[in-house]
Amino acid sequence: MKKKQSKFSRLVLAAALMTTALAGCSDNGGGNSEGSGNANAPAGDNGGTGTEKAVTLKILHNWNGSGPGDVDMTPIAEAIREKTGITVQFDYTKGSETEKVNTIFATQDLPDIYTGPAWGGELDGIVKAAKEDQLVDLSEKLASYPNLSKAIAKENVPPALYDKAIGAFGDQQYLLYQNQPATDKDAMDWLYGFYVRKDIAQKVGVDPQSVKTKDDLYNFLKKIKDAKLTENGMPVMPLGGFSNGWAVGIGNTMFYGSDYQDKGDGTLEHTFFTKAYEDYTLYYRKLIEEGLLDPETFTQTDPIAKEKINQGRIAVLAAHFPAIYDATKEYAKSHPGSDFVAVGPLERAGAEPNRPVDLGIQGNNVTVITKACKNVDAALKLLEFLASDEGFLLVHYGVEGVHWERVDGKPVAKKEFFDKFAADTTGKEKKNAGIGIGFESLTGQDRTNTLGGDIWADQERIAAMDNARKILRPNGIKVISAYNAGDVIAKSPQWETLKPSMDRIGDVWKEAVFAKSDDAALKVINALRDQMNKTGYPEAIQYVNENLKGKEVVKLQMAN
């Protein structure tokens, strides 16, 4: 249930640098691998002779929505060039990422290095390119690049991604992997949950942390409704969300653990076919019927949702913490004591009370070197440096001594730049320094918290998030490493005909919760169940069970 995704800015070389840089991988007019300087030197070592030839690499960063800063060469890009002898020229996607990856290989308009989403049609396009021999096989070289090798070790990659892409080619190795958490500590937990206005909880006499069960939550919302609270003459709605129903449905974890459930005999069934799903649906239908859940949540736009929040008309919000904090801070500032605090933690179906929260976190990017690259060693040298601790700190924090410094061994932002970045609502000041752009997609395993945390973040926001974490994650978190049945069913022979039916589950749930009776709601659900059965579900789930027999499968998962 992620609200995706991080976006990075476009980085273009200054004309003067381009005219002086000698041809490298992306130069089809005479560049050669022998004339690339000390390309095999360890990452961060440019040889020290001052005679190395410069190399220019073109990188396609396949994420739509990226935007440039106001400068061509940033301080971070310059520091990378000084460390490696390599100048980077980024190209950013502006349209469909899937269309882009398919187009570049069809037209052979290829970069030296490609990096893009580690899922969906984008990943399919890269796997197809590997099978068509359009990518460089790195298997005989990776032993010399320990940071890159570590990130693609089987134990450091989600199993479905490893089977489908990273380890799918036998002894050959085409794909590198970026941004998977190095440890559970480095996992980005967005803290999805229910949050209540502190002053309203006090008015109705309920401690938010006493709300544990689905009955507790219902009774809590009913108390708020019965209190008949108003703001500026308008009624306060007990429960609301953001646009198009995001993310009020997260109460589903009180009813079932994940999208696929063990039937009790060791085989799996999609949760949509279970009684637990019916109970979940009828619970939300009851909330709407009794006026406990804002019915407009499912159709409203984000501006309308935020207007309601700023008017003080929503008592409990369901979403992840950053969205709630950002949307409510204006109201909370003008109404002291009205900040939102976490409810619960609520029970999780099938989970023991002391179990860490299971989060299905996956890295952002796969990275490949295309056959168009004429200096593979230089490309690997660049990527190895970026994936080192030194490269990670440089790309995420800036230049040490300029943007940040070490205090008691930990990175601390310099006040001059912290204030400058915080005051800039456009984000360009940060991008002009080189922070928050495409290099961040190439820094190997995510070690943000291990290496020092987000030093550029709003410290009040971090403190508030830490408070929410103490409430919602009393036993910590665990990054899921098991197989996800959803990844397997998508490989079934029936998937093409089944997928349109399964894609309707969300819409059918919304239709069911607005039904006039419980029987009518169940009728809506059963109609889609029949359609799924007719379009290949029985055969597809049999395929899932055959392929997952004897393997560890995800049965508990929280939204992150």
Side-chain angles (χ1 to χ4, degrees), residues 282-332:
L282 298 182
Y283 181 88
Y284 271 81
R285 198 195 80 78
K286 183 178 181 181
L287 296 183
I288 292 175
E289 184 178 53
E290 296 186 9
L292 306 181
L293 169 58
D294 181 6
E296 295 178 359
T297 297
F298 297 96
T299 55
Q300 68 192 6
T301 63
D302 219 40
I304 290 176
K306 290 176 180 177
E307 181 182 13
K308 290 178 180 179
I309 294 167
N310 284 326
Q311 292 172 343
R313 295 171 55 199
I314 304 296
V316 178
L317 277 168
H320 62 52
F321 179 83
I324 291 173
Y325 180 85
D326 291 342
T328 62
K329 62 182 178 182
E330 180 180 330
Y331 185 87

Side-chain angles (χ1 to χ4, degrees), residues 31 70 88 111 116 157 172 227 267 295 314 328 394 451 456 522 548 552 558:
D70 296 321
V88 175
V157 180
Q172 296 172 310
T267 62
I314 304 296
T328 62
L394 172 63
L451 293 179
W456 301 112
L522 295 177
L548 290 179
E552 184 184 0
M558 290 281 283

Side-chain angles (χ1 to χ4, degrees), residues 29-234:
N32 61 80
S33 58
E34 289 80 13
S36 59
N38 190 11
N40 290 312
D45 179 10
N46 63 11
T49 66
T51 62
E52 293 76 20
K53 295 181 179 180
V55 177
T56 298
L57 296 179
K58 181 180 178 181
I59 300 178
L60 172 61
H61 186 269
N62 193 25
W63 283 97
N64 183 21
S66 302
D70 296 321
V71 299
D72 294 325
M73 178 61 79
T74 69
I76 288 177
E78 178 64 27
I80 290 170
R81 189 194 65 79
E82 291 176 359
K83 287 285 184 180
T84 65
I86 298 166
T87 304
V88 175
Q89 179 182 2
F90 272 108
D91 183 20
Y92 290 82
T93 297
K94 295 181 179 179
S96 163
E97 290 96 342
T98 299
E99 183 178 335
K100 183 68 172 181
V101 70
N102 291 328
T103 299
I104 62 171
F105 289 106
T107 63
Q108 291 298 291
D109 182 16
L110 297 171
D112 305 303
I113 299 171
Y114 164 96
T115 190
W119 48 72
E122 301 90 342
L123 179 62
D124 292 341
I126 290 299
V127 170
K128 180 173 181 287
K131 292 177 179 178
E132 294 175 349
D133 196 31
Q134 300 204 61
L135 307 178
V136 176
D137 176 12
L138 306 173
S139 56
E140 294 184 2
K141 294 179 175 288
L142 283 176
S144 300
Y145 301 95
N147 293 314
L148 300 179
S149 297
K150 184 177 182 180
I152 58 170
K154 189 172 184 178
E155 65 270 19
N156 293 328
V157 180
L161 178 63
Y162 190 88
D163 289 351
K164 178 178 181 177
I166 305 296
F169 306 99
D171 294 334
Q172 296 172 310
Q173 182 62 61
Y174 297 103
L175 283 73
L176 302 173
Y177 189 40
Q178 314 286 351
N179 309 128
Q180 179 74 2
T183 67
D184 285 353
K185 178 182 177 181
D186 295 298
M188 179 54 189
D189 178 5
W190 293 80
L191 296 173
Y192 273 92
F194 294 91
Y195 293 79
V196 62
R197 256 179 53 188
K198 187 162 56 176
D199 59 328
I200 290 180
Q202 292 171 345
K203 286 178 182 178
V204 299
V206 175
D207 176 2
Q209 278 73 70
S210 71
V211 179
K212 303 291 186 182
T213 70
K214 56 181 75 74
D215 288 340
D216 290 343
L217 180 61
Y218 167 79
N219 291 329
F220 184 32
L221 297 175
K222 194 169 187 307
K223 274 198 170 186
I224 295 172
K225 174 74 173 178
D226 292 345
K228 298 180 180 180
L229 302 174
T230 61
E231 287 281 349
N232 297 319
M234 295 180 288

Side-chain angles (χ1 to χ4, degrees), residues 245-257:
W246 183 77
V248 295
I250 58 175
N252 58 357
T253 56
M254 296 186 291
F255 294 86
Y256 53 85

Side-chain angles (χ1 to χ4, degrees), residues 328-339:
T328 62
K329 62 182 178 182
E330 180 180 330
Y331 185 87
K333 185 176 181 180
S334 59
H335 298 77
S338 65
D339 48 312

Side-chain angles (χ1 to χ4, degrees), residues 353-527:
N354 61 349
R355 182 184 177 97
V357 170
D358 308 81
L359 299 179
I361 295 175
Q362 179 173 318
N364 296 335
N365 282 53
V366 292
T367 302
V368 297
I369 300 174
T370 76
K371 282 287 186 74
C373 183
K374 296 180 179 66
N375 195 329
V376 175
D377 289 328
L380 286 168
K381 177 183 178 181
L382 171 71
L383 295 172
E384 175 72 5
F385 170 71
L386 293 174
S388 69
D389 285 354
E390 181 184 5
F392 191 98
L393 289 168
L394 172 63
V395 168
H396 289 266
Y397 297 161
V399 179
E400 184 174 4
V402 176
H403 302 104
W404 62 280
E405 57 191 353
R406 294 184 189 272
V407 177
D408 297 328
K410 297 181 180 180
V412 176
K414 285 201 168 184
K415 188 175 187 305
E416 170 194 352
F417 286 97
F418 185 92
D419 291 344
K420 180 188 290 187
F421 296 162
D424 174 34
T425 57
T426 70
K428 285 191 175 181
E429 288 289 350
K430 217 173 182 182
K431 293 176 182 178
N432 289 343
I435 301 168
I437 62 173
F439 284 119
E440 289 188 355
S441 292
L442 300 167
T443 50
Q445 290 185 298
D446 185 1
R447 286 150 287 162
T448 301
N449 293 328
T450 298
L451 293 179
D454 186 355
I455 66 173
W456 301 112
D458 178 342
Q459 297 306 298
E460 290 185 2
R461 190 174 191 256
I462 288 179
M465 198 163 186
D466 285 343
N467 287 335
R469 183 175 289 107
K470 290 175 184 176
I471 295 170
L472 295 179
R473 307 293 187 251
N475 303 304
I477 65 170
K478 178 178 175 55
V479 177
I480 293 171
S481 60
Y483 284 86
N484 193 314
D487 295 326
V488 179
I489 200 169
K491 298 178 184 178
S492 68
Q494 297 77 27
W495 182 244
E496 186 175 346
T497 56
L498 175 60
K499 184 176 184 296
S501 299
M502 292 192 68
D503 285 345
R504 293 192 58 232
I505 289 177
D507 290 336
V508 164
W509 181 79
K510 291 178 185 178
E511 183 180 347
V513 298
F514 281 99
K516 293 182 178 180
S517 67
D518 286 356
D519 287 343
L522 295 177
K523 185 176 180 180
V524 170
I525 290 173
N526 285 324

